[in-house]
Amino acid sequence: MSGVCGKIQLCCGICRIGVYTIYRLLCCKAEPASRPEYSVVCLGLTKAGKSTMLALMSEEATDNIEPTVGFSIKAVQFKDCILNIKEIGGGEGVRPYWKHYYDGAEGVVFVLDSACPEEDVEIVKKELGNVLTDSTLEHLPCLILASYQDSENARSVDMITTLLDLKKLCKGRQWLVHPCTIKDLKTVKEGFSAFNKYLIGEQTEDAPEQTEEIKGRI
């Protein structure tokens, strides 16, 4: 029964995407935005910190946040652009349906728990591989947020890059891994600021080779 309910929720979620798209086409033509807008898909396993990060960036309360089952969309304001971020639930029963939410995406954000158990690293590697090899997301810029860097067991950016074989997996696209923690929102915003430059077209180099700032733990 829970499986049936989950599929119904996912179907409803896909319908909501259609309604949201039509609404934007019909009702959001008043006047051009002063900043460019980009549609971004946000993925990651359950409890990686996606919902809390986006709530904090939207200046929303985080007291009663529950894991996302279907999807949610938040318009997050930045100085140079606006990101319409479509966050998709990361549960085991939802991940096979991620691909149904990719249409219209102009960038990919993947949030991972840098202190997760070893078995979860393998799951992350598999799921991230599925995401980045999907034809709909081919060549799109990618931000990988290594969350929970305040944890004792947090892996460094170099270690995450090696464990997930990111230099091979992300070849042919602009990408970066950025260490962050929800206890310091500035670290999350710094990652997005670098990612936004890819979307806007201000950055042409692969981020892991650019600065020492993202080479290790914060």
Side-chain angles (χ1 to χ4, degrees):
M1 181 63 72
S2 59
V4 174
C5 291
K7 290 180 179 179
I8 292 174
Q9 287 177 318
L10 285 167
C11 289
C12 291
I14 294 171
C15 291
R16 284 169 58 201
I17 292 177
V19 172
Y20 175 80
T21 302
I22 294 170
Y23 170 80
R24 286 184 59 81
L25 289 173
L26 294 178
C27 304
C28 300
K29 294 183 177 180
E31 55 183 79
S34 57
R35 289 166 289 173
E37 293 190 36
Y38 301 96
S39 295
V40 174
V41 63
C42 180
L43 305 157
L45 304 189
T46 298
K47 297 184 179 180
K50 304 184 298 299
S51 299
T52 302
M53 281 185 190
L54 294 178
L56 288 170
M57 292 178 70
S58 302
E59 299 183 351
E60 297 175 358
T62 59
D63 298 338
N64 300 305
I65 287 184
E66 297 289 338
T68 303
V69 176
F71 81 101
S72 67
I73 297 178
K74 294 187 187 298
V76 182
Q77 310 276 335
F78 294 92
K79 183 178 180 180
D80 49 2
C81 66
I82 299 171
L83 298 189
N84 294 307
I85 302 178
K86 186 191 300 177
E87 180 210 347
I88 307 171
E92 185 177 356
V94 178
R95 296 196 295 267
Y97 299 92
W98 278 357
K99 58 186 177 183
H100 298 295
Y101 296 84
Y102 295 164
D103 283 348
E106 298 169 273
V108 179
V109 175
F110 196 97
V111 183
L112 60 87
D113 177 357
S114 57
C116 68
E118 292 296 329
E119 54 267 27
D120 283 356
V121 173
E122 291 305 312
I123 297 173
V124 168
K125 184 175 182 179
K126 175 187 173 185
E127 297 296 351
L128 181 58
N130 290 339
V131 169
L132 297 184
T133 55
D134 189 280
S135 59
T136 306
L137 304 178
E138 190 176 12
H139 303 311
L140 295 185
C142 177
L143 167 63
I144 299 169
L145 288 171
S147 66
Y148 295 103
Q149 283 288 315
D150 52 314
S151 171
E152 248 182 54
N153 302 318
R155 298 172 180 84
S156 69
V157 167
D158 281 339
M159 186 178 295
I160 290 169
T161 300
T162 300
L163 287 172
L164 302 183
D165 200 11
L166 293 179
K167 290 186 178 180
K168 178 180 178 181
L169 182 60
C170 296
K171 188 175 181 179
R173 73 174 73 230
Q174 294 174 310
W175 63 283
L176 73 153
V177 185
H178 190 85
C180 64
T181 168
I182 57 176
K183 292 182 179 179
D184 183 358
L185 189 57
K186 180 182 176 183
T187 62
V188 180
K189 290 182 176 180
E190 286 172 348
F192 273 99
S193 293
F195 175 64
N196 292 348
K197 290 180 180 179
Y198 291 153
L199 295 170
I200 297 169
E202 295 180 357
Q203 187 60 264
T204 58
E205 300 293 328
D206 283 343
E209 304 300 329
Q210 288 172 9
T211 69
E212 292 302 315
E213 177 186 358
I214 65 169
K215 283 293 186 181
R217 290 179 56 184
I218 54 177

